[in-house]
Amino acid sequence: MAEAFIIDAVRTPRGRGKAGKGALSGTHPQELLAQTLNELAKRQNLKKEDVDDVVVGCVSQAKEQGACIARNAVLAAEWPETVTGVTLNRFCGSGLQALNFAAMGVMSGQQDLVIGGGVESMSRVPMGSDEALMDGHNLKLRARIFQVPQGISADLIATIDGVTREQVDAFALKSQQNAARAIEERRFDKGMFAVVGDDGKVLLDRDEHPRPTTTAESLAGLEASFVMMGQAPMGPNGETLDQIALARYPEVKEIKHVHHAGNSSGIVDGAAAVLLASDAYVKKSGLKPRARIRSTATYGAEPVIMLTAPAPASELALKKAGMTVKDIDLWEINEAFAVVPLNTIRRLGIDPSRVNVNGGAIALGHPLGATGAVLLGTVLDELERSNKATALITLCIGGGMGIATVIERV
């Protein structure tokens, strides 16, 4: 199998995902991705006509993110019309899946130069804009598997694992502290570029979501977000969402709701792009690889608890690479909810000091379709900064799925 080399990775700053309030909320998502593509091309002096495809993750494919945002972003960037684009949705794993598919095209020998990435403007196209819920309103499926909202699932995991409110808050505080240190030490500068408006003026040149003044006391003062939701009578016979979840786990008597806005991922706007090339193209073009894809994997888990698949997905990716947990220098485990990385750390026996060393989505935000590509770029920069070799990126995914990618510096 051919090598898939990572040439470069760039991203926008993450803007607050509130209409009219975030610095990027005035920017059309096609334009957000178009600027990202052009930044990547500029940094590598890229021959745009050589790009075989642009594979893009986007979760809420409706309104301004409807049609095919990948192709429209290529056109908005004024790239050659011969360059194609395709958009995919694997929920929160979309950005990582996009670059995994791009890598597969290269590794198969069918393509030589592919871009994988993602975009999500959560201020302009809020979650749920596709009006599909988790099950696409398939009442036959819903009667058999009622997929509760992810906040209920996260609290169910915490209850089963015995994770307390204090523990999820402590993890959230660490995310904020790590992100604050990374920003102060300018660790994100290499992979991030400033987004500009039509007039050329800078709209945003820093991540807008972090709250460096967060304290244990301020987190403790926040009310759990999913108590009222859990009591909502949403079942066919008036069952509450908590009751629906508990019916799948009868050993659990009551869900302890521990997650809130301060220990869950932030709603933000953002885009990211990763350039992948074959060995033949590298030799022909003179591009300098930074890393290579060692392996990729997806894994399905029980869809009511939903968010526990990063651990088995990571195990599968490690097996494919002929590696173990101890062979990974740095881990990026998406902080959809604090309990997700905590569950993955516990199940795999990961050294917590190797996980999300520059903070995660709790502090920095989770631009759904872009996050996987953002995380890969972040950990690649950190591998180089800290002179380490290997990293694993993993995300939980709606419907009970997980995704993982192992990379190695070259």
Side-chain angles (χ1 to χ4, degrees):
M1 186 178 297
E3 295 273 23
F5 290 110
I6 301 170
I7 306 301
D8 207 355
V10 300
R11 70 169 178 92
T12 69
R14 282 162 279 199
R16 292 178 63 201
K18 293 187 177 181
K21 295 183 179 180
L24 300 181
S25 63
T27 303
H28 195 290
Q30 291 177 14
E31 300 295 334
L32 202 60
L33 182 55
Q35 287 195 37
T36 309
L37 294 173
N38 281 331
E39 178 67 20
L40 187 63
K42 182 179 71 175
R43 291 187 181 196
Q44 293 298 322
N45 194 25
L46 191 65
K47 291 184 178 180
K48 300 169 187 175
E49 64 273 16
D50 286 355
V51 175
D52 291 302
D53 205 2
V54 177
V55 188
V56 172
C58 183
V59 175
S60 296
Q61 294 183 32
K63 303 178 181 178
E64 293 178 340
Q65 291 179 170
C68 179
I69 194 169
R71 173 60 172 172
N72 284 328
V74 168
L75 297 176
E78 301 184 30
W79 281 30
E81 294 179 355
T82 54
V83 179
T84 55
V86 61
T87 310
L88 64 87
N89 178 12
R90 200 191 283 277
F91 299 128
C92 295
S94 299
L96 192 60
Q97 185 63 71
L99 66 91
N100 285 356
F101 278 160
M104 290 175 196
V106 173
M107 295 165 83
S108 71
Q110 294 297 303
Q111 297 172 313
D112 283 309
L113 191 66
V114 190
I115 292 171
V119 63
E120 204 82 32
S121 178
M122 301 180 76
S123 62
R124 298 172 73 99
V125 189
M127 285 187 292
S129 292
D130 60 2
E131 299 181 352
L133 297 179
M134 191 64 69
D135 59 18
H137 299 282
N138 183 344
L139 299 184
K140 184 177 179 181
L141 172 61
R142 191 177 301 173
R144 188 167 60 86
I145 303 173
F146 197 118
Q147 299 176 62
V148 300
Q150 290 188 6
I152 305 295
S153 300
D155 286 340
L156 176 60
I157 295 168
T159 302
I160 292 172
D161 284 0
V163 175
T164 66
R165 168 68 183 263
E166 290 74 21
Q167 288 173 312
V168 287
D169 281 357
F171 186 90
L173 180 60
K174 187 67 173 177
S175 180
Q176 293 285 356
Q177 293 170 339
N178 285 348
R181 182 188 64 230
I183 292 168
E184 182 180 356
E185 296 179 1
R186 307 181 71 89
R187 295 187 185 183
F188 299 136
D189 287 9
K190 183 174 183 178
M192 189 167 58
F193 70 96
V195 175
V196 300
D198 291 339
D199 58 3
K201 293 182 179 179
V202 172
L203 296 174
L204 188 64
D205 61 2
R206 58 177 176 80
D207 289 312
E208 202 173 20
H209 189 266
R211 296 175 175 85
T213 59
T214 298
T215 64
E217 291 73 23
S218 66
L219 290 171
L222 297 174
E223 294 185 7
S225 296
F226 305 106
V227 176
M228 295 299 294
M229 181 184 290
Q231 296 172 356
M234 299 291 289
N237 299 309
E239 304 97 327
T240 68
L241 289 172
D242 275 2
Q243 288 171 337
I244 292 167
L246 290 171
R248 198 65 180 255
Y249 293 87
E251 70 275 16
V252 181
K253 302 305 179 185
E254 179 185 10
I255 296 178
K256 297 178 181 178
H257 292 284
V258 298
H259 287 92
H260 51 74
N263 58 33
S264 306
S265 56
I267 295 173
V268 294
D269 304 332
V274 179
L275 181 63
L276 298 132
S278 68
D279 183 57
Y281 191 86
V282 165
K283 290 176 179 176
K284 178 180 74 172
S285 66
L287 291 174
K288 184 178 180 181
R290 297 174 61 188
R292 65 184 177 119
I293 303 290
R294 283 288 301 267
S295 66
T296 72
T298 56
Y299 198 93
E302 196 278 299
V304 174
I305 206 165
M306 195 178 302
L307 309 175
T308 58
S314 298
E315 287 179 318
L316 183 55
L318 288 169
K319 182 179 179 181
K320 289 181 177 182
M323 302 171 73
T324 70
V325 168
K326 292 182 179 180
D327 293 323
I328 300 299
D329 294 319
L330 295 174
W331 293 74
E332 285 290 333
I333 306 172
N334 189 39
E335 298 172 0
F337 301 90
V339 78
V340 175
L342 286 172
N343 176 268
T344 308
I345 289 167
R346 179 186 64 80
R347 291 177 66 181
L348 297 183
I350 303 169
D351 179 353
S353 68
R354 299 185 179 195
V355 176
N356 301 359
V357 297
N358 291 324
I362 290 171
L364 296 158
H366 176 20
L368 301 183
T371 300
V374 171
L375 295 184
L376 184 139
T378 296
V379 80
L380 177 55
D381 288 347
E382 180 59 24
L383 284 176
E384 293 173 343
R385 189 198 70 83
S386 59
N387 195 28
K388 298 183 186 302
T390 59
L392 189 149
I393 306 97
T394 185
L395 300 91
C396 63
I397 303 172
M401 296 184 285
I403 188 168
T405 302
V406 177
I407 67 170
E408 182 179 38
R409 287 178 62 201
V410 297

